[in-house]
Structure formats: C-alpha cells, structure tokens
Amino acid sequence: MTAVTSLAHEPRWPASVAAAEAEQDRLRPLADLDDPGPVSAGLVAGLDVGYRDDEEVVGAVVVLDAATLEVVDQATARQRASFPYVPGLFAFRELPPLLAALDELTVRPELLMCDGYGVAHPRRFGLACHLGVLTGLPAVGVAKTAFVGTHEDPPPERGSWSEILLDGEVAGRALRTRDGVKPVFVSQGHRIGLENACAHVLRLSPAYRVPEPIRQADRLSRLP
DNA sequence: GCGACAG
DNA sequence: ATCTTGTCGC
C-alpha cells in the first residue's frame, strides 16, 4: 500500500462459504462501532466494483475533497473475480479489487464510502465493516436496496430517515437524499457513528440519490 | 420446506 | 452486477 499504507489487519481469502462466514465472525469484534467518528472529513473516498465478462472485476476508488466535491485522486484495478457472488459474502468478491485500487492512491482518505452494507448484515459484518477493519480507516456503507431487517418508508423530504431494525436493534437508517426519491440504506462500517455517517452521506449527495464519491467510483468502474 | 437475497 | 426502449417528469 502506498497512501493507504500498512493494513491494520492482513486480509484472508477463504475458499469456501463456511470459511468465509468464519472469517467474518473472527473479524466482527474488531469493528469499532462506538467511535463517533469525524464530524467533517476533508478527503472522502468512494468505492465501487464494475463487472465485465462475469469473470472480471474492476475495483474503482475516487477521492473527493468533501468541501468542493473536486476529484483529488482516483485509481482502478482490474482482475479476475476470485469469489462468487453470494449474498452475505459480498465482501470476498469485491474486497480484492478494491484493496488493489486503494493501493494505487497517492493520498490518504479520511473516510471510506462503500457501495453496500456495514453492520446491517446477516452476521453484522458487511463490506464496509470489512474494509474499515482491514484498512483501519473510518468506513460507512451506503446500499441502494434493502437487504436485511425492516424499515418504514421515511417521509418524502430530503434529509428524512427511518431506522433499519435487525433483531430489535438499530442496524442503520433508510435515508432520503433527494425529495421524492427512493432512500439509500446507510449503516456503520468502522470508526464512525450512525449519526455522523448519515450526515456525511447527506452532505455529499447535493444533486443525486447516490453520494457523489460513490457515483464517481461507479462511473470510473464502468469505463473501458 | 421454499423463496428471497448488498452487487 | 448486467442484459435493454421507451417514457414520464422536472
């Protein structure tokens, strides 16, 4: 790693579903969900993965200046998919290309915004938690569809939200980033509180439903 | 048991 | 994720 140097924890790549689930259980206690995290961040990285011929993945990272939304740095990593898509084990498919892309950055982001879930996950350890624990950086998960738990439809105004309940506990929020548009699903990943996580997501979504860092990463991951 | 299931 | 046209709305 260059700017996102020395991983806090070495990644392990399980070869079976059972081993992958065990790895999530092993890392879950390492996710810090009590740290309220940064109230404001200068550099925020959006991460996403694009797919090609079903066997190729493209990890993309775009770092934005949170104040101006200006692109400060970006990187991609193209490789063969090393794990199949299994709901709940999403991270093992997308982590390799994302870590490789992060390795190419020349700046160190203060917050990672991931396309997927954090603790709103069957084993409470989604992609955002995994990425946060491995890098040691604050991380938040932003998903476009509901995955686990229950939630009410939040009021139609931008900024309104409702709780995502999982086993009677708050696992995240359905947050409306634009008037009258479907909400996004925000959950903690690592070293950031739900309140601050939602504040960042809302602030970084001035024009579209999906936060700008993730939109940029999504666009980059589709480029030829 | 069956279907649904982040991307 | 990806395969895909037109269509409604601001």
Side-chain angles (χ1 to χ4, degrees):
Chain A
M1 291 231 150
T2 52
V4 181
T5 268
S6 60
L7 290 178
H9 295 278
E10 278 308 307
R12 293 186 186 179
W13 307 116
S16 70
V17 165
E21 293 178 338
E23 175 65 356
Q24 292 180 327
D25 290 337
R26 183 181 76 87
L27 296 176
R28 183 178 52 240
L30 302 179
D32 184 348
L33 306 178
D34 299 319
D35 185 342
V39 175
S40 64
L43 300 182
V44 179
L47 304 91
D48 194 16
V49 175
Y51 293 77
R52 297 296 144 99
D53 306 300
D54 189 44
E55 281 306 314
E56 270 211 322
V57 290
V58 180
V61 186
V62 177
V63 182
L64 301 187
D65 179 321
T68 63
L69 297 190
E70 185 182 342
V71 176
V72 173
D73 195 10
Q74 60 179 45
T76 59
R78 185 168 180 152
Q79 52 187 243
R80 283 184 62 84
S82 56
F83 201 89
Y85 170 65
V86 181
L89 300 179
F90 187 45
F92 295 99
R93 185 169 176 76
E94 301 215 334
L95 227 28
L98 290 178
L99 290 174
L102 280 172
D103 195 41
E104 299 299 316
L105 292 183
T106 60
V107 300
R108 185 181 175 79
E110 300 161 61
L111 176 67
L112 303 181
M113 218 167 250
C114 314
D115 194 52
Y117 280 99
V119 297
H121 176 276
R123 276 172 303 284
R124 307 290 190 139
F125 199 75
L127 174 66
C129 300
H130 210 139
L131 211 37
V133 167
L134 292 184
T135 61
L137 293 169
V140 51
V142 182
K144 296 180 289 297
T145 63
F147 180 39
V148 292
T150 60
H151 67 88
E152 309 266 285
D153 194 42
E157 303 78 30
R158 161 181 159 85
S160 60
W161 52 269
S162 60
E163 295 176 330
I164 296 173
L165 294 176
L166 220 190
D167 301 323
E169 285 175 34
V170 177
R173 290 180 186 173
L175 175 65
R176 194 90 63 184
T177 52
R178 300 289 294 162
D179 287 354
V181 169
K182 285 190 307 179
V184 295
F185 303 86
V186 181
S187 58
Q188 293 167 266
H190 181 57
R191 294 182 55 198
I192 187 155
L194 184 55
E195 192 67 39
N196 280 336
C198 289
H200 281 110
V201 169
L202 198 56
R203 190 182 317 121
L204 293 169
S205 309
Y208 298 92
R209 177 169 91 111
V210 175
E212 208 56 29
I214 293 180
R215 277 193 73 242
Q216 296 287 337
D218 176 79
R219 185 186 59 72
L220 183 59
S221 77
R222 297 169 189 277
L223 258 38

